[in-house]
Amino acid sequence: AECGGWYGSKVWHSNDKYRRIIYQCNNKFRNKTGCSAPHLTEYEIKEYFIKAMNRLITEKPEETASAISDGIMEYLNSRK
């Protein structure tokens, strides 16, 4: 976030048909000014992640493949 805070999940319209999960800065309503960073939907976060991964894979395929396999192995080893 612009203020340096972390984003957290919030539920909008929790009890009606418009219910959805959004992510916004946890400092959004602190103090009088708060944080002006926009909220993000779960869909937007997934889209940005896919675009970033596709870009990384396209621009640096060898490094990306290595990083992914290392990450998978680290995860599997941590579960032992």
Side-chain angles (χ1 to χ4, degrees), residues 10-40:
K10 311 289 185 268
V11 179
W12 282 0
H13 299 279
S14 63
N15 295 319
D16 62 34
K17 66 180 181 179
Y18 302 107
R19 184 181 196 278
R20 66 182 183 155
I21 297 172
I22 60 102
Y23 292 81
Q24 69 183 26
C25 179
N26 290 325
N27 296 329
K28 179 98 175 153
F29 299 108
R30 287 198 181 150
N31 304 325
K32 292 182 180 180
T33 56
C35 181
S36 62
H39 72 272
L40 297 168

PDB file of all heavy atoms in Angstrom, residues 10-40:
ATOM      1  N   LYS A  10     -11.297  -8.400   3.296  1.00  0.00           N
ATOM      2  CA  LYS A  10     -12.500  -7.868   3.928  1.00  0.00           C
ATOM      3  C   LYS A  10     -13.703  -8.414   3.161  1.00  0.00           C
ATOM      4  O   LYS A  10     -13.619  -8.686   1.975  1.00  0.00           O
ATOM      5  CB  LYS A  10     -12.555  -6.333   3.859  1.00  0.00           C
ATOM      6  CG  LYS A  10     -11.286  -5.614   4.294  1.00  0.00           C
ATOM      7  CD  LYS A  10     -11.058  -5.692   5.783  1.00  0.00           C
ATOM      8  CE  LYS A  10      -9.867  -4.877   6.213  1.00  0.00           C
ATOM      9  NZ  LYS A  10      -8.609  -5.553   6.261  1.00  0.00           N
ATOM     10  N   VAL A  11     -14.813  -8.574   3.842  1.00  0.00           N
ATOM     11  CA  VAL A  11     -16.027  -9.049   3.185  1.00  0.00           C
ATOM     12  C   VAL A  11     -16.987  -7.875   3.042  1.00  0.00           C
ATOM     13  O   VAL A  11     -17.316  -7.202   4.018  1.00  0.00           O
ATOM     14  CB  VAL A  11     -16.698 -10.178   3.996  1.00  0.00           C
ATOM     15  CG1 VAL A  11     -17.976 -10.637   3.321  1.00  0.00           C
ATOM     16  CG2 VAL A  11     -15.743 -11.340   4.175  1.00  0.00           C
ATOM     17  N   TRP A  12     -17.402  -7.630   1.817  1.00  0.00           N
ATOM     18  CA  TRP A  12     -18.409  -6.607   1.546  1.00  0.00           C
ATOM     19  C   TRP A  12     -19.748  -7.302   1.359  1.00  0.00           C
ATOM     20  O   TRP A  12     -19.827  -8.375   0.757  1.00  0.00           O
ATOM     21  CB  TRP A  12     -18.063  -5.831   0.282  1.00  0.00           C
ATOM     22  CG  TRP A  12     -16.993  -4.796   0.459  1.00  0.00           C
ATOM     23  CD1 TRP A  12     -16.312  -4.473   1.599  1.00  0.00           C
ATOM     24  CD2 TRP A  12     -16.483  -3.936  -0.556  1.00  0.00           C
ATOM     25  NE1 TRP A  12     -15.405  -3.478   1.346  1.00  0.00           N
ATOM     26  CE2 TRP A  12     -15.493  -3.117   0.027  1.00  0.00           C
ATOM     27  CE3 TRP A  12     -16.764  -3.776  -1.912  1.00  0.00           C
ATOM     28  CZ2 TRP A  12     -14.788  -2.162  -0.679  1.00  0.00           C
ATOM     29  CZ3 TRP A  12     -16.057  -2.820  -2.618  1.00  0.00           C
ATOM     30  CH2 TRP A  12     -15.086  -2.024  -2.010  1.00  0.00           C
ATOM     31  N   HIS A  13     -20.805  -6.695   1.866  1.00  0.00           N
ATOM     32  CA  HIS A  13     -22.171  -7.224   1.719  1.00  0.00           C
ATOM     33  C   HIS A  13     -22.251  -8.674   2.193  1.00  0.00           C
ATOM     34  O   HIS A  13     -22.702  -9.559   1.471  1.00  0.00           O
ATOM     35  CB  HIS A  13     -22.642  -7.136   0.261  1.00  0.00           C
ATOM     36  CG  HIS A  13     -22.690  -5.754  -0.278  1.00  0.00           C
ATOM     37  ND1 HIS A  13     -23.737  -4.907  -0.033  1.00  0.00           N
ATOM     38  CD2 HIS A  13     -21.813  -5.067  -1.046  1.00  0.00           C
ATOM     39  CE1 HIS A  13     -23.522  -3.753  -0.631  1.00  0.00           C
ATOM     40  NE2 HIS A  13     -22.345  -3.822  -1.244  1.00  0.00           N
ATOM     41  N   SER A  14     -21.826  -8.905   3.423  1.00  0.00           N
ATOM     42  CA  SER A  14     -21.684 -10.277   3.911  1.00  0.00           C
ATOM     43  C   SER A  14     -22.980 -11.071   3.955  1.00  0.00           C
ATOM     44  O   SER A  14     -22.957 -12.294   3.902  1.00  0.00           O
ATOM     45  CB  SER A  14     -21.053 -10.277   5.298  1.00  0.00           C
ATOM     46  OG  SER A  14     -21.890  -9.613   6.216  1.00  0.00           O
ATOM     47  N   ASN A  15     -24.106 -10.391   4.031  1.00  0.00           N
ATOM     48  CA  ASN A  15     -25.374 -11.112   4.190  1.00  0.00           C
ATOM     49  C   ASN A  15     -26.335 -10.954   3.030  1.00  0.00           C
ATOM     50  O   ASN A  15     -27.534 -11.167   3.191  1.00  0.00           O
ATOM     51  CB  ASN A  15     -26.072 -10.668   5.482  1.00  0.00           C
ATOM     52  CG  ASN A  15     -25.275 -11.061   6.702  1.00  0.00           C
ATOM     53  OD1 ASN A  15     -24.730 -12.151   6.761  1.00  0.00           O
ATOM     54  ND2 ASN A  15     -25.192 -10.156   7.660  1.00  0.00           N
ATOM     55  N   ASP A  16     -25.845 -10.579   1.870  1.00  0.00           N
ATOM     56  CA  ASP A  16     -26.771 -10.462   0.744  1.00  0.00           C
ATOM     57  C   ASP A  16     -26.163 -11.013  -0.537  1.00  0.00           C
ATOM     58  O   ASP A  16     -25.046 -11.516  -0.547  1.00  0.00           O
ATOM     59  CB  ASP A  16     -27.272  -9.023   0.555  1.00  0.00           C
ATOM     60  CG  ASP A  16     -26.169  -8.028   0.246  1.00  0.00           C
ATOM     61  OD1 ASP A  16     -25.185  -8.397  -0.425  1.00  0.00           O
ATOM     62  OD2 ASP A  16     -26.292  -6.864   0.661  1.00  0.00           O
ATOM     63  N   LYS A  17     -26.879 -10.916  -1.617  1.00  0.00           N
ATOM     64  CA  LYS A  17     -26.447 -11.526  -2.877  1.00  0.00           C
ATOM     65  C   LYS A  17     -25.234 -10.839  -3.499  1.00  0.00           C
ATOM     66  O   LYS A  17     -24.636 -11.355  -4.431  1.00  0.00           O
ATOM     67  CB  LYS A  17     -27.592 -11.563  -3.881  1.00  0.00           C
ATOM     68  CG  LYS A  17     -28.057 -10.207  -4.356  1.00  0.00           C
ATOM     69  CD  LYS A  17     -29.199 -10.338  -5.337  1.00  0.00           C
ATOM     70  CE  LYS A  17     -29.643  -8.969  -5.833  1.00  0.00           C
ATOM     71  NZ  LYS A  17     -30.721  -9.089  -6.801  1.00  0.00           N
ATOM     72  N   TYR A  18     -24.857  -9.669  -3.020  1.00  0.00           N
ATOM     73  CA  TYR A  18     -23.706  -8.938  -3.551  1.00  0.00           C
ATOM     74  C   TYR A  18     -22.414  -9.257  -2.799  1.00  0.00           C
ATOM     75  O   TYR A  18     -21.396  -8.606  -3.008  1.00  0.00           O
ATOM     76  CB  TYR A  18     -23.963  -7.435  -3.505  1.00  0.00           C
ATOM     77  CG  TYR A  18     -25.193  -7.033  -4.269  1.00  0.00           C
ATOM     78  CD1 TYR A  18     -26.357  -6.643  -3.603  1.00  0.00           C
ATOM     79  CD2 TYR A  18     -25.199  -7.064  -5.656  1.00  0.00           C
ATOM     80  CE1 TYR A  18     -27.485  -6.283  -4.312  1.00  0.00           C
ATOM     81  CE2 TYR A  18     -26.328  -6.712  -6.365  1.00  0.00           C
ATOM     82  CZ  TYR A  18     -27.469  -6.329  -5.692  1.00  0.00           C
ATOM     83  OH  TYR A  18     -28.586  -5.983  -6.394  1.00  0.00           O
ATOM     84  N   ARG A  19     -22.440 -10.262  -1.935  1.00  0.00           N
ATOM     85  CA  ARG A  19     -21.280 -10.614  -1.114  1.00  0.00           C
ATOM     86  C   ARG A  19     -20.048 -10.859  -1.984  1.00  0.00           C
ATOM     87  O   ARG A  19     -20.111 -11.542  -3.003  1.00  0.00           O
ATOM     88  CB  ARG A  19     -21.576 -11.883  -0.325  1.00  0.00           C
ATOM     89  CG  ARG A  19     -20.472 -12.279   0.622  1.00  0.00           C
ATOM     90  CD  ARG A  19     -20.849 -13.583   1.346  1.00  0.00           C
ATOM     91  NE  ARG A  19     -20.031 -13.794   2.509  1.00  0.00           N
ATOM     92  CZ  ARG A  19     -18.808 -14.324   2.489  1.00  0.00           C
ATOM     93  NH1 ARG A  19     -18.277 -14.701   1.351  1.00  0.00           N
ATOM     94  NH2 ARG A  19     -18.134 -14.481   3.604  1.00  0.00           N
ATOM     95  N   ARG A  20     -18.921 -10.256  -1.572  1.00  0.00           N
ATOM     96  CA  ARG A  20     -17.654 -10.521  -2.240  1.00  0.00           C
ATOM     97  C   ARG A  20     -16.499 -10.194  -1.310  1.00  0.00           C
ATOM     98  O   ARG A  20     -16.641  -9.430  -0.362  1.00  0.00           O
ATOM     99  CB  ARG A  20     -17.517  -9.769  -3.552  1.00  0.00           C
ATOM    100  CG  ARG A  20     -17.432  -8.278  -3.432  1.00  0.00           C
ATOM    101  CD  ARG A  20     -17.342  -7.675  -4.816  1.00  0.00           C
ATOM    102  NE  ARG A  20     -17.199  -6.246  -4.741  1.00  0.00           N
ATOM    103  CZ  ARG A  20     -16.641  -5.519  -5.672  1.00  0.00           C
ATOM    104  NH1 ARG A  20     -16.183  -6.096  -6.760  1.00  0.00           N
ATOM    105  NH2 ARG A  20     -16.537  -4.230  -5.544  1.00  0.00           N
ATOM    106  N   ILE A  21     -15.368 -10.821  -1.607  1.00  0.00           N
ATOM    107  CA  ILE A  21     -14.167 -10.602  -0.812  1.00  0.00           C
ATOM    108  C   ILE A  21     -13.277  -9.629  -1.567  1.00  0.00           C
ATOM    109  O   ILE A  21     -13.021  -9.799  -2.756  1.00  0.00           O
ATOM    110  CB  ILE A  21     -13.437 -11.926  -0.569  1.00  0.00           C
ATOM    111  CG1 ILE A  21     -14.331 -12.856   0.245  1.00  0.00           C
ATOM    112  CG2 ILE A  21     -12.101 -11.689   0.136  1.00  0.00           C
ATOM    113  CD1 ILE A  21     -13.793 -14.257   0.392  1.00  0.00           C
ATOM    114  N   ILE A  22     -12.844  -8.596  -0.872  1.00  0.00           N
ATOM    115  CA  ILE A  22     -11.917  -7.620  -1.450  1.00  0.00           C
ATOM    116  C   ILE A  22     -10.694  -7.547  -0.549  1.00  0.00           C
ATOM    117  O   ILE A  22     -10.711  -8.034   0.582  1.00  0.00           O
ATOM    118  CB  ILE A  22     -12.563  -6.217  -1.607  1.00  0.00           C
ATOM    119  CG1 ILE A  22     -13.021  -5.648  -0.255  1.00  0.00           C
ATOM    120  CG2 ILE A  22     -13.722  -6.269  -2.566  1.00  0.00           C
ATOM    121  CD1 ILE A  22     -12.095  -4.635   0.285  1.00  0.00           C
ATOM    122  N   TYR A  23      -9.638  -6.956  -1.071  1.00  0.00           N
ATOM    123  CA  TYR A  23      -8.422  -6.740  -0.291  1.00  0.00           C
ATOM    124  C   TYR A  23      -8.151  -5.246  -0.282  1.00  0.00           C
ATOM    125  O   TYR A  23      -8.182  -4.598  -1.331  1.00  0.00           O
ATOM    126  CB  TYR A  23      -7.246  -7.504  -0.910  1.00  0.00           C
ATOM    127  CG  TYR A  23      -7.424  -8.991  -0.770  1.00  0.00           C
ATOM    128  CD1 TYR A  23      -8.231  -9.702  -1.643  1.00  0.00           C
ATOM    129  CD2 TYR A  23      -6.817  -9.678   0.265  1.00  0.00           C
ATOM    130  CE1 TYR A  23      -8.432 -11.061  -1.493  1.00  0.00           C
ATOM    131  CE2 TYR A  23      -6.999 -11.045   0.419  1.00  0.00           C
ATOM    132  CZ  TYR A  23      -7.814 -11.727  -0.463  1.00  0.00           C
ATOM    133  OH  TYR A  23      -8.013 -13.073  -0.307  1.00  0.00           O
ATOM    134  N   GLN A  24      -7.939  -4.712   0.921  1.00  0.00           N
ATOM    135  CA  GLN A  24      -7.635  -3.285   1.033  1.00  0.00           C
ATOM    136  C   GLN A  24      -6.600  -3.086   2.118  1.00  0.00           C
ATOM    137  O   GLN A  24      -6.372  -3.978   2.938  1.00  0.00           O
ATOM    138  CB  GLN A  24      -8.888  -2.475   1.334  1.00  0.00           C
ATOM    139  CG  GLN A  24      -9.473  -2.691   2.701  1.00  0.00           C
ATOM    140  CD  GLN A  24     -10.768  -1.919   2.918  1.00  0.00           C
ATOM    141  OE1 GLN A  24     -11.471  -1.613   1.980  1.00  0.00           O
ATOM    142  NE2 GLN A  24     -11.074  -1.627   4.150  1.00  0.00           N
ATOM    143  N   CYS A  25      -5.977  -1.936   2.092  1.00  0.00           N
ATOM    144  CA  CYS A  25      -4.952  -1.625   3.082  1.00  0.00           C
ATOM    145  C   CYS A  25      -5.571  -1.665   4.478  1.00  0.00           C
ATOM    146  O   CYS A  25      -6.662  -1.131   4.706  1.00  0.00           O
ATOM    147  CB  CYS A  25      -4.357  -0.247   2.808  1.00  0.00           C
ATOM    148  SG  CYS A  25      -3.092   0.213   4.021  1.00  0.00           S
ATOM    149  N   ASN A  26      -4.878  -2.300   5.400  1.00  0.00           N
ATOM    150  CA  ASN A  26      -5.381  -2.374   6.775  1.00  0.00           C
ATOM    151  C   ASN A  26      -5.377  -1.016   7.466  1.00  0.00           C
ATOM    152  O   ASN A  26      -5.993  -0.855   8.518  1.00  0.00           O
ATOM    153  CB  ASN A  26      -4.562  -3.381   7.583  1.00  0.00           C
ATOM    154  CG  ASN A  26      -4.823  -4.800   7.138  1.00  0.00           C
ATOM    155  OD1 ASN A  26      -5.939  -5.163   6.767  1.00  0.00           O
ATOM    156  ND2 ASN A  26      -3.791  -5.615   7.150  1.00  0.00           N
ATOM    157  N   ASN A  27      -4.698  -0.032   6.877  1.00  0.00           N
ATOM    158  CA  ASN A  27      -4.682   1.327   7.438  1.00  0.00           C
ATOM    159  C   ASN A  27      -5.706   2.238   6.774  1.00  0.00           C
ATOM    160  O   ASN A  27      -5.687   3.445   6.982  1.00  0.00           O
ATOM    161  CB  ASN A  27      -3.287   1.936   7.277  1.00  0.00           C
ATOM    162  CG  ASN A  27      -2.244   1.180   8.057  1.00  0.00           C
ATOM    163  OD1 ASN A  27      -2.529   0.604   9.101  1.00  0.00           O
ATOM    164  ND2 ASN A  27      -1.032   1.151   7.544  1.00  0.00           N
ATOM    165  N   LYS A  28      -6.591   1.688   5.979  1.00  0.00           N
ATOM    166  CA  LYS A  28      -7.544   2.478   5.188  1.00  0.00           C
ATOM    167  C   LYS A  28      -8.323   3.474   6.046  1.00  0.00           C
ATOM    168  O   LYS A  28      -8.558   4.599   5.636  1.00  0.00           O
ATOM    169  CB  LYS A  28      -8.509   1.533   4.472  1.00  0.00           C
ATOM    170  CG  LYS A  28      -9.551   2.219   3.638  1.00  0.00           C
ATOM    171  CD  LYS A  28      -9.135   2.244   2.227  1.00  0.00           C
ATOM    172  CE  LYS A  28     -10.216   2.825   1.344  1.00  0.00           C
ATOM    173  NZ  LYS A  28      -9.651   3.409   0.164  1.00  0.00           N
ATOM    174  N   PHE A  29      -8.761   3.061   7.215  1.00  0.00           N
ATOM    175  CA  PHE A  29      -9.607   3.928   8.028  1.00  0.00           C
ATOM    176  C   PHE A  29      -8.945   4.381   9.325  1.00  0.00           C
ATOM    177  O   PHE A  29      -9.620   4.833  10.239  1.00  0.00           O
ATOM    178  CB  PHE A  29     -10.938   3.223   8.320  1.00  0.00           C
ATOM    179  CG  PHE A  29     -11.702   2.919   7.062  1.00  0.00           C
ATOM    180  CD1 PHE A  29     -11.808   1.625   6.600  1.00  0.00           C
ATOM    181  CD2 PHE A  29     -12.272   3.937   6.325  1.00  0.00           C
ATOM    182  CE1 PHE A  29     -12.500   1.336   5.433  1.00  0.00           C
ATOM    183  CE2 PHE A  29     -12.963   3.662   5.149  1.00  0.00           C
ATOM    184  CZ  PHE A  29     -13.076   2.359   4.706  1.00  0.00           C
ATOM    185  N   ARG A  30      -7.622   4.258   9.384  1.00  0.00           N
ATOM    186  CA  ARG A  30      -6.911   4.749  10.565  1.00  0.00           C
ATOM    187  C   ARG A  30      -6.691   6.245  10.444  1.00  0.00           C
ATOM    188  O   ARG A  30      -6.512   6.776   9.348  1.00  0.00           O
ATOM    189  CB  ARG A  30      -5.570   4.057  10.713  1.00  0.00           C
ATOM    190  CG  ARG A  30      -5.732   2.651  11.172  1.00  0.00           C
ATOM    191  CD  ARG A  30      -4.460   2.104  11.735  1.00  0.00           C
ATOM    192  NE  ARG A  30      -4.723   0.723  12.139  1.00  0.00           N
ATOM    193  CZ  ARG A  30      -3.830  -0.215  12.144  1.00  0.00           C
ATOM    194  NH1 ARG A  30      -2.594   0.038  11.812  1.00  0.00           N
ATOM    195  NH2 ARG A  30      -4.157  -1.430  12.510  1.00  0.00           N
ATOM    196  N   ASN A  31      -6.682   6.902  11.569  1.00  0.00           N
ATOM    197  CA  ASN A  31      -6.502   8.357  11.624  1.00  0.00           C
ATOM    198  C   ASN A  31      -7.575   9.053  10.801  1.00  0.00           C
ATOM    199  O   ASN A  31      -8.532   8.439  10.347  1.00  0.00           O
ATOM    200  CB  ASN A  31      -5.095   8.756  11.150  1.00  0.00           C
ATOM    201  CG  ASN A  31      -4.012   8.057  11.944  1.00  0.00           C
ATOM    202  OD1 ASN A  31      -4.176   7.819  13.141  1.00  0.00           O
ATOM    203  ND2 ASN A  31      -2.932   7.706  11.281  1.00  0.00           N
ATOM    204  N   LYS A  32      -7.401  10.314  10.558  1.00  0.00           N
ATOM    205  CA  LYS A  32      -8.383  11.065   9.766  1.00  0.00           C
ATOM    206  C   LYS A  32      -8.135  10.919   8.276  1.00  0.00           C
ATOM    207  O   LYS A  32      -9.055  10.982   7.478  1.00  0.00           O
ATOM    208  CB  LYS A  32      -8.355  12.544  10.165  1.00  0.00           C
ATOM    209  CG  LYS A  32      -8.859  12.780  11.558  1.00  0.00           C
ATOM    210  CD  LYS A  32      -8.863  14.248  11.905  1.00  0.00           C
ATOM    211  CE  LYS A  32      -9.376  14.428  13.331  1.00  0.00           C
ATOM    212  NZ  LYS A  32      -9.416  15.814  13.746  1.00  0.00           N
ATOM    213  N   THR A  33      -6.881  10.742   7.902  1.00  0.00           N
ATOM    214  CA  THR A  33      -6.563  10.664   6.474  1.00  0.00           C
ATOM    215  C   THR A  33      -6.594   9.235   5.953  1.00  0.00           C
ATOM    216  O   THR A  33      -7.043   8.986   4.849  1.00  0.00           O
ATOM    217  CB  THR A  33      -5.173  11.272   6.194  1.00  0.00           C
ATOM    218  OG1 THR A  33      -4.209  10.610   7.004  1.00  0.00           O
ATOM    219  CG2 THR A  33      -5.166  12.751   6.488  1.00  0.00           C
ATOM    220  N   GLY A  34      -6.096   8.281   6.721  1.00  0.00           N
ATOM    221  CA  GLY A  34      -6.077   6.887   6.293  1.00  0.00           C
ATOM    222  C   GLY A  34      -5.195   6.692   5.071  1.00  0.00           C
ATOM    223  O   GLY A  34      -4.418   7.557   4.680  1.00  0.00           O
ATOM    224  N   CYS A  35      -5.310   5.536   4.456  1.00  0.00           N
ATOM    225  CA  CYS A  35      -4.528   5.226   3.264  1.00  0.00           C
ATOM    226  C   CYS A  35      -5.426   5.336   2.044  1.00  0.00           C
ATOM    227  O   CYS A  35      -6.558   4.863   2.053  1.00  0.00           O
ATOM    228  CB  CYS A  35      -3.957   3.813   3.376  1.00  0.00           C
ATOM    229  SG  CYS A  35      -2.951   3.339   1.958  1.00  0.00           S
ATOM    230  N   SER A  36      -4.908   5.935   0.991  1.00  0.00           N
ATOM    231  CA  SER A  36      -5.725   6.151  -0.208  1.00  0.00           C
ATOM    232  C   SER A  36      -5.517   5.076  -1.279  1.00  0.00           C
ATOM    233  O   SER A  36      -6.038   5.198  -2.384  1.00  0.00           O
ATOM    234  CB  SER A  36      -5.434   7.528  -0.797  1.00  0.00           C
ATOM    235  OG  SER A  36      -4.076   7.599  -1.178  1.00  0.00           O
ATOM    236  N   ALA A  37      -4.758   4.020  -0.969  1.00  0.00           N
ATOM    237  CA  ALA A  37      -4.550   2.941  -1.945  1.00  0.00           C
ATOM    238  C   ALA A  37      -5.890   2.274  -2.256  1.00  0.00           C
ATOM    239  O   ALA A  37      -6.714   2.071  -1.368  1.00  0.00           O
ATOM    240  CB  ALA A  37      -3.575   1.915  -1.392  1.00  0.00           C
ATOM    241  N   PRO A  38      -6.136   1.945  -3.515  1.00  0.00           N
ATOM    242  CA  PRO A  38      -7.425   1.356  -3.889  1.00  0.00           C
ATOM    243  C   PRO A  38      -7.554  -0.090  -3.400  1.00  0.00           C
ATOM    244  O   PRO A  38      -6.558  -0.759  -3.131  1.00  0.00           O
ATOM    245  CB  PRO A  38      -7.389   1.388  -5.418  1.00  0.00           C
ATOM    246  CG  PRO A  38      -5.942   1.318  -5.757  1.00  0.00           C
ATOM    247  CD  PRO A  38      -5.239   2.071  -4.661  1.00  0.00           C
ATOM    248  N   HIS A  39      -8.783  -0.549  -3.300  1.00  0.00           N
ATOM    249  CA  HIS A  39      -9.007  -1.958  -2.956  1.00  0.00           C
ATOM    250  C   HIS A  39      -8.830  -2.808  -4.213  1.00  0.00           C
ATOM    251  O   HIS A  39      -8.864  -2.302  -5.330  1.00  0.00           O
ATOM    252  CB  HIS A  39     -10.409  -2.160  -2.372  1.00  0.00           C
ATOM    253  CG  HIS A  39     -11.500  -2.040  -3.377  1.00  0.00           C
ATOM    254  ND1 HIS A  39     -12.092  -0.833  -3.683  1.00  0.00           N
ATOM    255  CD2 HIS A  39     -12.106  -2.973  -4.171  1.00  0.00           C
ATOM    256  CE1 HIS A  39     -13.010  -1.031  -4.610  1.00  0.00           C
ATOM    257  NE2 HIS A  39     -13.043  -2.318  -4.928  1.00  0.00           N
ATOM    258  N   LEU A  40      -8.599  -4.095  -4.015  1.00  0.00           N
ATOM    259  CA  LEU A  40      -8.460  -5.047  -5.116  1.00  0.00           C
ATOM    260  C   LEU A  40      -9.404  -6.213  -4.872  1.00  0.00           C
ATOM    261  O   LEU A  40      -9.583  -6.639  -3.734  1.00  0.00           O
ATOM    262  CB  LEU A  40      -7.028  -5.583  -5.197  1.00  0.00           C
ATOM    263  CG  LEU A  40      -5.938  -4.580  -5.502  1.00  0.00           C
ATOM    264  CD1 LEU A  40      -4.571  -5.201  -5.260  1.00  0.00           C
ATOM    265  CD2 LEU A  40      -6.054  -4.104  -6.930  1.00  0.00           C
TER     266      LEU A  40
END
